[in-house]
Amino acid sequence: MTSKRIVLVFLALLLPFSLLIGYWLHLLAEDRFDKDFLHLRQQQSLGIRLGNEALKEDFEALFRDVAYLAALAPIHDALNDDAEAAREQLAKQLAEFVAHKPIYSQLRLLDASGMERVRVNLTDTGISITPQPQLQNKADRYYVQETLRLAPGHIYVSPIDLNMERGKVSTPFEPMVRLSTPIFAGDQLKGMLILNYRAALLLQYFRDATREVPGEVMLLNTDGFWIVAPDPDKEWGFMRNRSDLTLAQSQPDIWSRIRNTNKGQVSLTSGLWTWESQFLIYSDFAANLHAPTGQTPMIFDQNIWKTVTLVPKTQLDDIKQESRSQLFRLGLVLLLAWSGLALAFCHSKWQKA
């Protein structure tokens, strides 16, 4: 057998096998990426559930505190004009509560006009009871106006925002959630109880629960502003007069979907997006939350935030490239092995010739 003939035989053995291996590896790569992509989608959905569950668990404890404090005996007496002793007693009870649970920065009892009757503060210097001459009228605050609209036993949960002092955002930033419930005597609204919760704890629970989720994890308010963002400089735009720091500005196409649907997942040119609106719904807490004797069960049906994850296209491309690289190495090994066998076969034919 001539050398030219041997080369032709070798190529006849090698080329069809190479094409077959290439096609098989292409199909295998697509199948592997599809499986990896499905797993990634499941990870995103699970990560959102974990983040939302962490937030809901924390809120359940907060609702219990509201129910407990609203049932304190001096509450109603302290709202009477001539009840200085009752107000002092209530202030002491609230101060003891804050000492036991320093997750609150402020507890207040307001009358129906929005005037503070009792205010207890927790700062870095300790617990203080505000003297009566320093109490203020808060009737213009949004959370007071919202609470005034509630029926007996209902709880208002404010959006997560930043604490403000004298009209300015406190620095360093102090994330805050206000929980409030109206106080009634029969059918008459007497006042309201307001708790300022240090929401930095809430947000840390969220970050811890979603730490292992691939890609970027975000917590947005209902206007699309970042509360938790991959870039901390983008957070709290609505409190910093930065209307440009919203998902609506940076990703208008995906924000229109997120705003108009409670839950979804879609792959766009920017990457894989997954989102879910979180509602605080009484039925979610009914089994574990019990109102004090004589009180209406607490009810809260509010859309508080949207949890969003993004696996950027570059990360998806990396996953696909890694899959292809692994299969390329496998194909190279198979091709080298087949080439060796083909060469051995041709060599044996050449020797016999």
Side-chain angles (χ1 to χ4, degrees), residues 52 55 59 142 157-163 173-177 197-207 210 217-240 242 245-248 255 276 278 303-308:
N52 285 343
L55 296 174
F59 269 106
Y142 72 89
V157 182
S158 77
I160 303 175
D161 60 16
L162 297 176
N163 188 47
F173 291 162
E174 297 178 48
M176 198 71 60
V177 170
Y197 168 65
R198 291 174 164 175
L201 296 169
L202 184 78
L203 300 181
Q204 189 57 52
Y205 295 151
F206 175 82
R207 290 187 176 96
T210 58
V217 180
M218 296 163 258
L219 190 66
L220 307 175
N221 69 11
T222 52
D223 294 319
F225 285 95
W226 282 283
I227 298 170
V228 173
D231 179 3
D233 289 339
K234 292 183 177 181
E235 296 173 354
W236 309 112
F238 63 100
M239 299 294 297
R240 297 157 52 198
R242 292 289 305 276
L245 296 181
T246 69
L247 193 64
W255 172 245
E276 184 174 335
Q278 181 58 57
N303 180 359
I304 305 300
W305 61 78
K306 289 179 178 284
T307 306
V308 180

Side-chain angles (χ1 to χ4, degrees), residues 95 98-99 101-107 119-130 163-166 170 174 176 196 198:
V98 170
K101 284 197 170 183
I103 58 175
Y104 299 101
S105 64
Q106 192 175 80
L107 302 180
R119 186 171 80 209
V120 175
N121 300 297
L122 175 61
T123 64
D124 293 337
T125 58
I127 298 172
S128 63
I129 297 173
T130 303
N163 188 47
M164 299 185 68
E165 293 293 341
R166 298 180 177 86
S170 303
E174 297 178 48
M176 198 71 60
N196 287 19
R198 291 174 164 175

Side-chain angles (χ1 to χ4, degrees), residues 117-300:
R117 291 303 185 97
V118 176
R119 186 171 80 209
V120 175
N121 300 297
L122 175 61
T123 64
D124 293 337
T125 58
I127 298 172
S128 63
I129 297 173
T130 303
Q132 187 172 358
Q134 297 178 22
L135 297 175
Q136 304 173 35
N137 191 294
K138 301 292 184 179
D140 61 335
R141 301 302 171 90
Y142 72 89
Y143 50 88
V144 172
Q145 295 170 12
E146 292 291 339
T147 308
L148 289 173
R149 299 187 180 100
L150 298 182
H154 289 211
I155 293 177
Y156 171 72
V157 182
S158 77
I160 303 175
D161 60 16
L162 297 176
N163 188 47
M164 299 185 68
E165 293 293 341
R166 298 180 177 86
K168 295 183 179 180
V169 175
S170 303
T171 53
F173 291 162
E174 297 178 48
M176 198 71 60
V177 170
R178 295 165 188 87
L179 300 100
S180 55
T181 188
I183 306 298
F184 281 82
D187 295 331
Q188 183 182 4
L189 175 68
K190 300 288 291 182
M192 68 194 71
L193 180 68
I194 302 175
L195 290 72
N196 287 19
Y197 168 65
R198 291 174 164 175
L201 296 169
L202 184 78
L203 300 181
Q204 189 57 52
Y205 295 151
F206 175 82
R207 290 187 176 96
D208 290 343
T210 58
R211 194 177 304 279
E212 301 301 321
V213 178
E216 302 172 0
V217 180
M218 296 163 258
L219 190 66
L220 307 175
N221 69 11
T222 52
D223 294 319
F225 285 95
W226 282 283
I227 298 170
V228 173
D231 179 3
D233 289 339
K234 292 183 177 181
E235 296 173 354
W236 309 112
F238 63 100
M239 299 294 297
R240 297 157 52 198
N241 295 319
R242 292 289 305 276
S243 58
D244 58 309
L245 296 181
T246 69
L247 193 64
Q249 291 286 336
S250 64
Q251 299 281 352
D253 290 343
I254 188 60
W255 172 245
S256 65
R257 297 172 184 243
I258 294 174
R259 180 188 57 196
N260 295 321
T261 55
N262 292 329
K263 183 178 181 180
Q265 189 172 67
V266 64
S267 184
L268 302 176
T269 55
S270 52
L272 174 64
W273 292 87
T274 309
W275 69 92
E276 184 174 335
S277 299
Q278 181 58 57
F279 295 86
L280 297 178
I281 302 174
Y282 175 69
S283 59
D284 293 340
F285 300 90
N288 299 317
L289 182 64
H290 304 284
T293 303
Q295 268 197 301
T296 305
M298 303 299 177
I299 300 176
F300 18 81

Side-chain angles (χ1 to χ4, degrees), residues 18-125:
S18 300
L19 292 174
L20 182 62
I21 285 294
Y23 181 66
W24 176 69
L25 290 177
H26 170 73
L27 294 179
L28 193 60
E30 292 299 317
D31 181 66
R32 175 173 291 188
F33 178 73
D34 288 344
K35 290 179 179 177
D36 289 342
F37 189 64
L38 176 60
H39 179 63
L40 188 63
R41 292 178 59 182
Q42 292 170 340
Q43 282 183 305
Q44 301 308 296
S45 298
L46 176 60
I48 282 182
R49 286 198 297 272
L50 290 174
N52 285 343
E53 285 301 320
L55 296 174
K56 286 172 65 174
E57 286 178 11
D58 200 45
F59 269 106
E60 182 173 324
L62 302 181
F63 295 146
R64 287 182 181 276
D65 288 344
V66 174
Y68 168 77
L69 292 175
L72 291 177
I75 285 280
H76 291 276
D77 293 339
L79 290 169
N80 296 326
D81 292 334
D82 57 349
E84 186 60 33
R87 284 193 285 271
E88 289 179 0
Q89 181 184 357
L90 178 63
K92 290 179 181 178
Q93 286 185 275
L94 295 181
E96 291 174 358
F97 181 84
V98 170
H100 178 66
K101 284 197 170 183
I103 58 175
Y104 299 101
S105 64
Q106 192 175 80
L107 302 180
R108 288 175 288 173
L109 179 67
L110 279 63
D111 63 23
S113 72
M115 185 65 195
E116 294 177 333
R117 291 303 185 97
V118 176
R119 186 171 80 209
V120 175
N121 300 297
L122 175 61
T123 64
D124 293 337
T125 58

